[in-house]
Amino acid sequence: KKLKEKELDDITCSVLYFSQQHRVDPRLVCSMIIAESDFDPKCTSNKGAMGLGQVMPDEAQQYKLSNPYDPVQNVGASVGLLKSKLLMYSEGNQDSLTVRQVTLALAAYNAGPGAVKKYGGVPPYRETQGYVKKILSIYKQLCGG
């Protein structure tokens, strides 16, 4: 679907603002949003995840979102959640993450950190494995690789 100009502006500004605030590469954020919702702010998954970054209801409550479908609120929460997962696997060096660390963070975003811990890496769930591969592929393209 084509976004309205205001939606496009809100999403663009939000991605850039929250990426800078949380020190997360905006290309990674965009890659994740493409995989999660293909930039459809009204997207809802069959599991109840909402908006651009597919924020779950408990996460929306945690981030005090009054409207999880609002692009600004949703991107803010999504980038915050992604950053928390990146920190979880950063081994104390959040400025220089390895591909493995980013991979684990993405798997945790999708399947939860408990599943990543249980399996010692990306869980053997088809959805999560495809999700991680898709984001890393898009991210590589956006980085010019």
Side-chain angles (χ1 to χ4, degrees), residues 48-69:
M50 302 169 280
L52 294 166
Q54 291 294 275
V55 175
M56 293 298 288
D58 61 324
E59 296 165 336
Q61 189 175 22
Q62 173 189 343
Y63 279 83
K64 297 177 175 55
L65 304 186
S66 61
N67 178 3
Y69 294 98

Side-chain angles (χ1 to χ4, degrees), residues 126-140:
R126 184 179 302 145
E127 176 192 328
T128 303
Q129 291 180 354
Y131 173 84
V132 170
K133 285 180 187 172
K134 180 177 184 175
I135 293 175
L136 292 176
S137 175
I138 296 166
Y139 184 52
K140 185 176 178 181

Side-chain angles (χ1 to χ4, degrees), residues 2 16 33-34 40 45 56 58 61 63-64 80 85 91-92 96 101-102 108-109 112-113 123 126-127 138-139 144:
K2 192 170 182 175
L16 294 173
I33 290 173
I34 290 168
D40 179 359
S45 78
M56 293 298 288
D58 61 324
Q61 189 175 22
Y63 279 83
K64 297 177 175 55
K85 305 302 186 261
E91 298 174 9
S96 183
Q101 291 165 330
V102 172
Y109 191 97
R126 184 179 302 145
E127 176 192 328
I138 296 166
Y139 184 52

